[in-house]
Amino acid sequence: LMATVDVNLDVISASRMGKLSLRLLEILQAEEYSAGIHFAVYFFIQTRVDHFRKSLQPLKQAYNVGLRFGEMHYAVVAIRQFCLISFHSGENLMIVLEKIQYYGVKMKEHKQEIFWR
């Protein structure tokens, strides 16, 4: 996905490719790939097209799917960006802090704290 479109140069084409990727994921019912695709689309592309808040739920979903299918690297980076985007979208700082602390503990439980820093 990222190799075919330079997100910084052509946001509209990147958005089309992202939507196509999500549609193919749905058609093929390939949920095991959902974490990586959702992370790529909703962090690298959609945050440049839509408001940050529209990416929050898909990134949280990518975290949950990544955990379920053992795709820990996608789960960790998705939830890390979920917390970062929560901060940048103007969410209450105390709530953001609670999320960061909660998911920080989860990353330690899964021995993934290196990605959490």
Side-chain angles (χ1 to χ4, degrees):
L1 171 68
M2 297 312 292
T4 59
V5 179
D6 184 348
V7 176
N8 293 320
L9 297 177
D10 192 355
V11 175
I12 294 169
S13 293
S15 181
R16 284 189 201 134
M17 289 296 292
K19 288 176 184 175
L20 176 63
S21 298
L22 293 170
R23 182 70 181 125
L24 285 172
L25 189 66
E26 183 181 324
I27 290 170
L28 298 173
Q29 298 177 354
E31 191 178 10
E32 64 272 17
Y33 301 106
S34 177
I37 302 250
H38 274 82
F39 169 70
V41 170
Y42 286 101
F43 178 65
F44 290 113
I45 301 170
Q46 289 308 114
T47 54
R48 289 164 175 78
V49 176
D50 288 327
H51 193 281
F52 282 177
R53 288 188 182 128
K54 290 186 178 182
S55 292
L56 290 173
Q57 195 57 36
L59 287 171
K60 193 169 184 182
Q61 179 183 351
Y63 167 73
N64 291 323
V65 171
L67 287 181
R68 191 164 12 127
F69 286 98
E71 295 285 338
M72 292 305 299
H73 52 290
Y74 287 125
V76 172
V77 294
I79 208 62
R80 184 174 190 261
Q81 299 312 322
F82 169 81
C83 291
L84 181 69
I85 290 173
S86 294
F87 171 77
H88 286 290
S89 66
E91 194 167 319
N92 181 302
L93 293 179
M94 291 308 295
I95 294 172
V96 173
L97 179 61
E98 289 173 6
K99 288 178 182 180
I100 290 170
Q101 291 171 337
Y102 173 79
Y103 290 112
V105 168
K106 292 293 182 190
M107 293 310 106
K108 286 180 183 177
E109 288 174 4
H110 294 292
K111 309 238 186 292
Q112 299 294 317
E113 58 269 358
I114 192 166
F115 295 107
W116 191 249
R117 297 178 188 176

